[in-house]
Amino acid sequence: MDKDASERRVVVGVDGSQSSYDALRWAVRYAGLVGGTVEAVAVWELPGLYGWSGPAVDMDVDEDETRRKMSRELTDALGADTAGSVRTHVVHGNPADVLLRAAEGAEALVVGSRGRGGFARALLGSVSQHVSQHASCPVVIVRSVQR
């Protein structure tokens, strides 16, 4: 991911959940206030890929699908004009680790309070909890408004 030290980057994790869309909108507003750019990061991984055997699927297909889905979701959440100003990154790996690497040198890392997985009653999702404890920059955890 591009890490130009002279620009103020706001990194946001996007996973398709309402909470991540709220985080994305928060990141865009904040970047506008500080004169920064927004980098939206979507992370994909194949379940069961760990172990000695190779994947039985074409990994490029999943990455391409994730890119298409992310583009549609950013447009739906932000509108076409604003979505076009957001830098996007689709990365294969562990979501918390990828977000921590992406946020190195960033102004802030923004995540939703709960993503797609986990238990419905958890106060924080595992990714938001992990990045809040290990990030090298300020972390903003956006809680979704009940709709």
Side-chain angles (χ1 to χ4, degrees):
M1 282 166 243
D2 304 327
K3 294 180 181 140
D4 182 356
S6 65
E7 74 178 350
R8 301 178 90 165
R9 296 180 309 113
V10 179
V11 176
V12 58
V14 179
D15 69 0
S17 68
Q18 184 59 49
S19 182
S20 76
Y21 298 153
D22 292 340
L24 176 64
R25 287 187 281 270
W26 193 98
V28 168
R29 286 191 305 272
Y30 180 73
L33 292 173
V34 299
T37 60
V38 176
E39 292 185 4
V41 179
V43 183
W44 67 278
E45 60 184 338
L46 295 173
L49 188 58
Y50 307 103
W52 61 270
S53 64
V57 295
D58 181 357
M59 291 176 60
D60 291 335
V61 171
D62 291 321
E63 184 174 356
D64 291 342
E65 178 58 27
T66 301
R67 285 185 195 286
R68 284 190 295 275
K69 186 175 181 187
M70 184 180 189
S71 177
R72 284 191 310 268
E73 290 174 349
L74 263 71
T75 300
D76 290 347
L78 300 172
D81 290 341
T82 303
S85 69
V86 174
R87 293 180 187 164
T88 60
H89 303 282
V90 176
V91 182
H92 176 258
N94 174 280
D97 293 340
V98 169
L99 289 172
L100 289 171
R101 280 194 309 273
E104 290 175 3
E107 179 79 15
L109 171 59
V110 185
V111 293
S113 61
R114 275 193 297 229
R116 292 177 171 248
F119 300 95
R121 293 186 181 180
L123 295 176
L124 283 180
S126 59
V127 172
S128 56
Q129 185 172 14
H130 186 84
V131 299
S132 71
Q133 295 172 352
H134 299 284
S136 60
C137 66
V139 175
V140 177
I141 301 172
V142 178
R143 184 170 178 215
S144 251
V145 177
Q146 292 292 352
R147 296 189 174 155

